[in-house]
Amino acid sequence: GQNIDQPTEMTATEGAIVQINCTYQTSGFNGLFWYQQHAGEAPTFLSYNVLDGLEEKGRFSSFLSRSKGYSYLLLKELQMKDSASYLCAVVDSNYQLIWGAGTKLIIKP
Amino acid sequence: GAVVSQHPSWVICKSGTSVKIECRSLDFQATTMFWYRQFPKQSLMLMATSNEGSKATYEQGVEKDKFLINHASLTLSTLTVTSAHPEDSSFYICSAREADYEQYFGPGTRLTVT
């Protein structure tokens, strides 16, 4: 079966750095997305990785290792507004999105 | 970026009635649209995938006669919850995909069935 694993909840301090991991086992791979979702709102796009390596976009970076079935989202200089759920999703061989359950990130002052 | 709208943003209806939710891609043509449901503190659950002009493909466990999906044009898909019951109360989110893999999400519709 297809499976996406990410931690259920993480806590970090304002101004710090946090890394949210995502491991996957899917039938085929055509890229990995990270989305941010605030409570009661729809997800918003953060990043898309299809090749190995690190993609940096401002305070957020996303890393992919296809051989390890592993990705992480790195958030720097954390702000209170970063408190949200972060969803990892993989595009499988049928070009369908397989969703992780999401990681709830709690930022403390 | 691409914009997807949903209407209504929230709706309250009585048990047994039907509710229609619209999803529109405002500045691009969506070859594929997706309907998701999300219960509180849970992840997105894909309900169905619809391609313009063809019947929707429903995920296992989703009743196609209860959740009617119509993707009549490249910019509009509708989800009708028929004979709604309180357990159908949820956050319904649509997304649209153009030619690439990225899905653009609508703002969601919160349905409460009393």
Side-chain angles (χ1 to χ4, degrees):
Chain A
Q2 310 209 85
N3 194 48
I4 310 271
D5 286 315
Q6 45 180 136
T8 304
E9 188 174 295
M10 300 181 71
T11 303
T13 306
E14 190 177 14
I17 299 173
V18 71
Q19 177 174 310
I20 303 174
N21 295 324
C22 171
T23 58
Y24 61 89
Q25 298 95 38
T26 57
S27 57
F29 179 85
N30 283 298
L32 184 146
F33 287 97
W34 283 97
Y35 284 87
Q36 178 191 60
Q37 185 179 26
H38 286 100
E41 299 180 12
T44 55
F45 170 81
L46 289 178
S47 67
Y48 173 67
N49 293 67
V50 66
L51 299 176
D52 291 348
L54 185 68
E55 298 261 351
E56 298 187 71
K57 192 184 295 184
R59 293 190 299 115
F60 293 6
S61 302
S62 56
F63 171 83
L64 174 67
S65 169
R66 289 171 295 171
S67 62
K68 295 182 180 178
Y70 168 69
S71 172
Y72 67 72
L73 181 69
L74 189 71
L75 293 75
K76 303 176 185 177
E77 300 169 15
L78 286 170
Q79 302 175 8
M80 298 303 292
K81 67 179 182 179
D82 297 330
S83 292
S85 287
Y86 291 86
L87 307 174
C88 171
V90 172
V91 184
D92 71 4
S93 57
N94 294 318
Y95 300 102
Q96 299 298 317
L97 266 183
I98 311 300
W99 290 88
T103 298
K104 182 178 180 181
L105 178 63
I106 300 169
I107 309 296
K108 295 185 175 180
Chain B
V3 179
V4 176
S5 70
Q6 268 184 254
H7 178 81
S9 54
W10 60 270
V11 57
I12 301 173
C13 69
K14 291 186 176 181
S15 186
T17 61
S18 295
V19 174
K20 180 185 282 189
I21 303 170
E22 290 187 352
C23 177
R24 293 182 185 272
S25 56
L26 298 185
D27 52 3
F28 67 101
Q29 293 186 325
T31 53
T32 306
M33 286 187 169
F34 303 86
W35 286 96
Y36 293 88
R37 181 167 52 182
Q38 187 176 36
F39 293 105
K41 299 183 180 181
Q42 295 187 22
S43 186
L44 297 170
M45 291 176 55
L46 179 65
M47 298 176 67
T49 302
S50 73
N51 294 294
E52 184 264 341
S54 61
K55 290 183 178 180
T57 302
Y58 290 80
E59 294 299 300
Q60 193 172 8
V62 178
E63 300 173 56
K64 60 180 67 176
D65 294 330
K66 180 171 180 62
F67 298 98
L68 301 178
I69 292 172
N70 187 342
H71 192 163
S73 75
L74 285 172
T75 59
L76 173 65
S77 177
T78 60
L79 167 68
T80 301
V81 183
T82 62
S83 187
H85 288 94
E87 56 265 31
D88 298 324
S89 298
S90 187
F91 192 45
Y92 290 86
I93 307 172
C94 76
S95 69
R97 187 173 70 194
E98 199 178 13
D100 57 17
Y101 307 147
E102 182 179 345
Q103 292 186 23
Y104 304 98
F105 286 89
T109 297
R110 187 161 300 284
L111 170 64
T112 301
V113 184
T114 61

